[in-house]
Amino acid sequence: MDDIEADDSSVEERTNRELLEKPINLHFYKNDKGVHTEVFFAKSNRKCLKRIRDAMLLHNWQEAAVYYNSYIQTLEARNSITVHPMSSEILWRIGTEILRHLPNATAEDFNAVYEQLKNNGVKNFPKICLEHCFHLLLNGETEEAKRQLTIGESWRYGSFSIAQGDTKKLIRAYCGFLDYLNWCEKKSSTAGTDEASRNHEMHSYFRYASVTLKDVISQPGVWDPFVLSYINMLEFYNDEDGALQILENYAYNKDFPINPNAHVYLYQFLKRHNFPDDRLIGSLRILQSLVASHELMLDLCSLLVSSTLMSDLEEALTVSMDLLEFSSWKCDMKAWSCLLNIIKLLKQKKRKDVVLTEWAARRSLWFSFHFRIHFARIDVVENVSLLQIKSDVLKALGERFLEYRRYTANLKRKSESKAEECPVREKKERKVKTERMEKEEEKKKMKTKKSK
């Protein structure tokens, strides 16, 4: 048995050694004319990828690197532009992952992998340039990252460059974003606002960034980080009208895709610059129609409550109840407090019928979603305040759900009994303390008498 195990281990070591020394020889896969065929290329690729996967799962990074080189050789020998875009993306992600785990990998190794992959599957050249830029930014090489973006933006390859229009837009946007980062760096290095406004170098970065970003965000798309960057610069130079025009176009332009963040940015800008409540309510109403569970709905409720119109107060009731129908808000104290306050205000203004109408439409849902006995038992242990305020809401709605409110009543009785017991306990404790003090004094007197 020992001999057999020894033979097996030696065979395994020999095969592993052969895998490392001779991963895959591409010259084996030729047809009768000595030309590589698509079938053999596919077989070679599958073998390489399988062994790369197995090596990475076992964290054998050196072995994975060997097979990765074989895969690259396959693509280079193929010398074709028909590589699927997803295959190229998998390639550079595998390569960078292997390099991250190799102990002696350097920044030059990463750059070499990216440069090598740019020439394999030219359809992905701009995208790989963009990924290369991200890698360089993570390592603090801003200038080299800008150079890679410039290369990617100026890339041309016949009809393939036309198909890369969206990627080119993104590359151009990041070119402007890097100029914005340089502008931020120059701004932070100046002593004050007046001095910064006179800084010629800072103004040059502002011009570069503003021209690029304004051109990019004027085209339909989702450009959140670039819009915020441009708005930040415009606000710094007190161009509020220009910033408002950009944000309104980004939020209301029908050619742009629906983007809740655009309305969030517009609302935050209006709030920063003290616009009237009507403008704030208008922007939040659109946001509520898109994302009824957004955290800014509490702001909308407070704005509607502060309005003098009764219709706004009635709308606040609907908004608050819509908010509490999302699972992420069902245990939120602020949302329940807001609802309770709105119900009380409507009842004070003789609009109880509005409350009852809204409640009748939601009653069956809310009893199963909020007021089950199971939830009351949990709240008694985990969140007594939530149980109390939910019971108050039931009471304000005129519901006599005695089984649910019984838990709150029991809590009140316990708290009252504890309050009544406190004085009695204090008296008992005082009495015990005085008795102990008297006993100690008697013992001291006895000791003094004996000593005499």
Side-chain angles (χ1 to χ4, degrees), residues 83-95:
V83 180
H84 195 274
M86 185 59 67
S87 301
S88 184
E89 182 174 350
I90 292 171
L91 260 182
W92 83 65
R93 296 197 186 282
I94 289 175

Side-chain angles (χ1 to χ4, degrees), residues 317-336:
L317 176 65
T318 304
V319 172
S320 62
M321 296 188 85
D322 286 342
L323 189 64
L324 284 167
E325 289 180 359
F326 290 91
S327 59
S328 57
W329 286 95
K330 66 185 298 183
C331 296
D332 190 86
M333 289 292 296
K334 291 182 180 179
W336 282 104

Side-chain angles (χ1 to χ4, degrees), residues 233-252:
M233 291 190 297
L234 292 178
E235 285 187 293
F236 180 81
Y237 291 108
N238 298 320
D239 188 5
E240 295 181 9
D241 295 335
L244 179 61
Q245 183 179 358
I246 293 294
L247 288 172
E248 287 181 338
N249 180 68
Y250 191 54
Y252 299 139

Side-chain angles (χ1 to χ4, degrees), residues 369-431:
F369 191 64
H370 290 299
F371 301 115
R372 289 168 58 186
I373 302 302
H374 172 68
F375 297 147
R377 290 169 182 163
I378 294 174
D379 292 339
V380 165
V381 178
E382 297 180 357
N383 196 343
V384 177
S385 300
L386 179 62
L387 176 65
Q388 180 64 52
I389 196 168
K390 286 168 71 174
S391 179
D392 293 341
V393 169
L394 275 178
K395 185 178 180 181
L397 291 169
E399 287 290 341
R400 287 189 168 185
F401 190 15
L402 300 177
E403 193 174 359
Y404 185 89
R405 293 172 62 183
R406 176 167 51 84
Y407 285 89
T408 309
N410 291 337
L411 287 174
K412 286 183 178 180
R413 290 194 204 98
K414 288 180 180 179
S415 61
E416 290 173 357
S417 62
K418 286 181 180 179
E420 292 176 355
E421 289 176 359
C422 281
V424 178
R425 287 180 180 176
E426 289 178 0
K427 289 180 181 179
K428 289 182 178 179
E429 288 176 359
R430 288 174 186 172
K431 187 176 181 181

Side-chain angles (χ1 to χ4, degrees), residues 35-305:
V35 180
H36 302 289
T37 64
E38 292 291 332
V39 174
F40 287 130
F41 271 120
K43 289 181 179 179
S44 176
N45 289 347
R46 282 197 296 269
K47 286 184 179 180
C48 270
L49 285 175
K50 183 178 183 301
R51 289 174 180 174
I52 290 170
R53 180 200 64 189
D54 294 341
M56 292 178 72
L57 289 174
L58 295 173
H59 292 187
N60 295 331
W61 302 109
Q62 295 288 350
E63 183 179 345
V66 173
Y67 289 118
Y68 183 76
N69 288 332
S70 295
Y71 195 90
I72 296 297
Q73 291 174 18
T74 306
L75 295 179
E76 289 176 348
R78 193 173 180 180
N79 193 20
S80 173
I81 60 173
T82 59
V83 180
H84 195 274
M86 185 59 67
S87 301
S88 184
E89 182 174 350
I90 292 171
L91 260 182
W92 83 65
R93 296 197 186 282
I94 289 175
T96 53
E97 186 67 20
I98 292 172
L99 284 175
R100 286 192 189 97
H101 291 87
L102 288 177
N104 298 324
T106 61
E108 288 75 13
D109 296 329
F110 281 92
N111 295 335
V113 169
Y114 280 111
E115 293 298 332
Q116 189 177 23
L117 291 173
K118 287 174 186 176
N119 299 317
N120 291 322
V122 293
K123 291 182 180 180
N124 295 280
F125 187 91
K127 195 171 184 180
I128 297 176
C129 287
L130 188 59
E131 289 286 338
H132 194 185
C133 167
F134 294 154
H135 171 74
L136 293 169
L137 287 175
L138 289 174
N139 290 277
E141 300 181 31
T142 307
E143 294 183 2
E144 182 62 23
K146 183 66 179 291
R147 192 180 74 85
Q148 288 296 325
L149 289 177
T150 305
I151 293 172
E153 186 180 7
S154 60
W155 175 80
R156 298 290 185 275
Y157 199 93
S159 61
F160 291 106
S161 57
I162 300 174
Q164 299 288 333
D166 292 339
T167 306
K168 290 290 193 68
K169 288 181 186 177
L170 196 58
I171 288 176
R172 181 165 170 75
Y174 274 104
C175 284
F177 188 71
L178 288 183
D179 290 329
Y180 165 74
L181 293 180
N182 290 326
W183 177 83
C184 290
E185 185 179 354
K186 295 297 178 183
K187 184 184 75 169
S188 61
S189 63
T190 54
T193 306
D194 295 335
E195 184 179 352
S197 62
R198 293 192 297 267
N199 192 315
H200 176 72
E201 189 175 4
M202 181 177 167
H203 270 287
S204 64
Y205 282 121
F206 166 71
R207 287 194 296 271
Y208 297 149
S210 60
V211 169
T212 305
L213 292 176
K214 185 177 182 180
D215 178 57
V216 169
I217 64 180
S218 63
Q219 304 175 47
V222 179
W223 308 106
D224 290 355
F226 311 110
V227 169
L228 291 178
S229 304
Y230 189 40
I231 296 302
N232 185 22
M233 291 190 297
L234 292 178
E235 285 187 293
F236 180 81
Y237 291 108
N238 298 320
D239 188 5
E240 295 181 9
D241 295 335
L244 179 61
Q245 183 179 358
I246 293 294
L247 288 172
E248 287 181 338
N249 180 68
Y250 191 54
Y252 299 139
N253 194 328
K254 295 181 180 179
D255 295 332
F256 281 66
I258 296 174
N259 183 8
N261 288 339
H263 301 280
V264 174
Y265 303 150
L266 177 60
Y267 166 75
Q268 292 172 344
F269 176 85
L270 296 174
K271 187 177 181 180
R272 280 198 304 271
H273 295 279
N274 301 317
F275 275 74
D277 289 350
D278 293 341
R279 295 288 301 274
L280 300 177
I281 291 173
S283 63
L284 288 179
R285 275 174 176 159
I286 299 176
L287 179 62
Q288 200 267 342
S289 66
L290 298 174
V291 187
S293 62
H294 199 280
E295 58 184 3
L296 288 178
M297 293 306 102
L298 290 177
D299 288 14
L300 176 58
C301 287
S302 63
L303 288 169
L304 292 171
V305 168

